[in-house]
Amino acid sequence: MRSAWTQRPIYDRNNPSRTAPSVVNYDLDQLKVGENRVVVGRKDGYDLYDRDIAPGDGWSRALYAPECTWPRGAALCVLVEWHPDRKVGSDWAARLKTVTAGLRSLDYVVEWAGRPIDPEKDLHANLLVYRMEAGKNPPRRPSDAWAFIPAPRTYTWPEKSPLELMEGWLKQTKAARGTRLMVRDVATALWSPEADRCGLVRWWPAQDSAEAVNGGLREMAMTMWDTGYRLRTQERALPDAVESVDLLVYREATADAVA
């Protein structure tokens, strides 16, 4: 069997959604803590793939993290999932230390961010993995970062979840009228530290110019501020033409919020 990787991917700062996970997945594979995808044969002119993983090791993969969730000053950021081998039983702590140490040896910053891991309940563990812009240092996280994340719960009608409330407030803004906008859940490893509510917004603005979009974002930020929430956009300037924008909307645990 041969590795599914034929060469090192190239990272494009202007296209992180596709290139950032590829770069980190390649490094995970080289460190022998990744998906270990291999070519096991060919059929109809195409390679056939499978995973070659030792029993008990589990496997890791890098997923795209929206830029609005990145630590300030980051040049690349992904969410790394480690999945245990539940049939054999995996040592979560030992495996995560191996993944963490390997990535740090390649100059990544690795954080055990988000809600604490519970091997009895969680299906996988998340790590926040990123690299800083040249000359910048990683942000200093408070010692109790993510300590305010509440346990997940369900909401039944007529009760509205925080995500539904966020979406309703944003859709009432002038900028969102006549456009598509949705709010969804986001992995707690991508939450802003000290937040006790968080949602990921995707907005498809009616006008695609950066100037018009930034004006709409300012209106949305003011609307959310009035409800006790904060809004974060990507640090990198928006391109001249914008198809969609991702936003992180969150409430700090100390905020005098309405939800």
Side-chain angles (χ1 to χ4, degrees), residues 160-172 181-184 191 196-201 223-224 227 229-230 248-251 259:
K160 287 190 176 181
S161 72
L163 299 181
E164 291 175 309
L165 291 172
M166 292 179 202
E167 187 168 301
W169 292 326
L170 288 168
K171 284 185 174 180
Q172 290 174 19
L181 183 147
M182 61 180 294
V183 182
R184 59 184 174 87
W191 284 32
D196 70 351
R197 291 285 187 272
C198 201
L200 183 65
V201 180
T223 296
M224 298 312 295
T227 62
Y229 283 77
R230 308 292 179 261
L248 187 70
V249 177
Y250 64 96
R251 185 184 72 178

Side-chain angles (χ1 to χ4, degrees), residues 49-91:
Y49 300 96
D50 200 354
R51 292 191 180 102
D52 182 23
I53 300 172
D57 275 357
W59 55 275
S60 308
R61 66 175 177 179
L63 302 175
Y64 170 61
E67 283 189 77
C68 60
T69 68
W70 292 14
R72 293 306 185 190
L76 175 156
C77 183
V78 297
L79 185 70
V80 169
E81 290 182 349
W82 173 66
H83 294 257
D85 180 350
R86 294 191 174 276
K87 292 182 179 179
V88 178
S90 299
D91 187 331

Side-chain angles (χ1 to χ4, degrees), residues 9-221:
I10 297 175
Y11 179 56
D12 181 355
R13 182 65 182 89
N14 294 314
N15 188 15
S17 62
R18 293 180 61 87
T19 60
S22 294
V23 168
V24 179
N25 276 320
Y26 176 88
D27 285 335
L28 288 168
D29 185 77
Q30 298 303 297
L31 292 166
K32 307 301 181 186
V33 294
E35 293 188 72
N36 293 357
R37 294 187 68 83
V38 293
V39 179
V40 296
R42 286 181 66 82
K43 183 177 181 180
D44 300 328
Y46 295 95
D47 287 336
L48 301 177
Y49 300 96
D50 200 354
R51 292 191 180 102
D52 182 23
I53 300 172
D57 275 357
W59 55 275
S60 308
R61 66 175 177 179
L63 302 175
Y64 170 61
E67 283 189 77
C68 60
T69 68
W70 292 14
R72 293 306 185 190
L76 175 156
C77 183
V78 297
L79 185 70
V80 169
E81 290 182 349
W82 173 66
H83 294 257
D85 180 350
R86 294 191 174 276
K87 292 182 179 179
V88 178
S90 299
D91 187 331
W92 283 62
R95 182 65 175 178
L96 286 173
K97 286 180 180 178
T98 300
V99 176
T100 300
L103 289 169
R104 286 176 176 165
S105 73
L106 299 178
D107 297 324
Y108 289 103
V109 181
V110 183
E111 294 184 358
W112 293 30
R115 186 180 292 111
I117 300 163
D118 185 348
E120 297 298 322
K121 299 179 181 178
D122 294 329
L123 298 178
H124 63 266
N126 287 326
L127 298 172
L128 187 65
V129 177
Y130 58 98
R131 279 184 176 148
M132 300 300 296
E133 296 279 4
K136 294 188 177 182
N137 296 319
R140 298 183 63 180
R141 306 286 194 171
S143 58
D144 57 353
W146 301 288
F148 305 98
I149 297 176
R153 53 162 294 199
T154 57
Y155 294 84
T156 56
W157 189 87
E159 205 177 16
K160 287 190 176 181
S161 72
L163 299 181
E164 291 175 309
L165 291 172
M166 292 179 202
E167 187 168 301
W169 292 326
L170 288 168
K171 284 185 174 180
Q172 290 174 19
T173 62
K174 181 179 178 181
R177 292 172 191 165
T179 70
R180 292 172 58 203
L181 183 147
M182 61 180 294
V183 182
R184 59 184 174 87
D185 202 2
V186 58
T188 57
L190 299 176
W191 284 32
S192 178
E194 297 185 317
D196 70 351
R197 291 285 187 272
C198 201
L200 183 65
V201 180
R202 176 155 291 182
W203 175 43
W204 290 264
Q207 296 176 298
D208 64 358
S209 73
E211 181 179 0
V213 172
N214 283 321
L217 294 177
R218 286 191 292 271
E219 181 196 359
M220 290 181 180

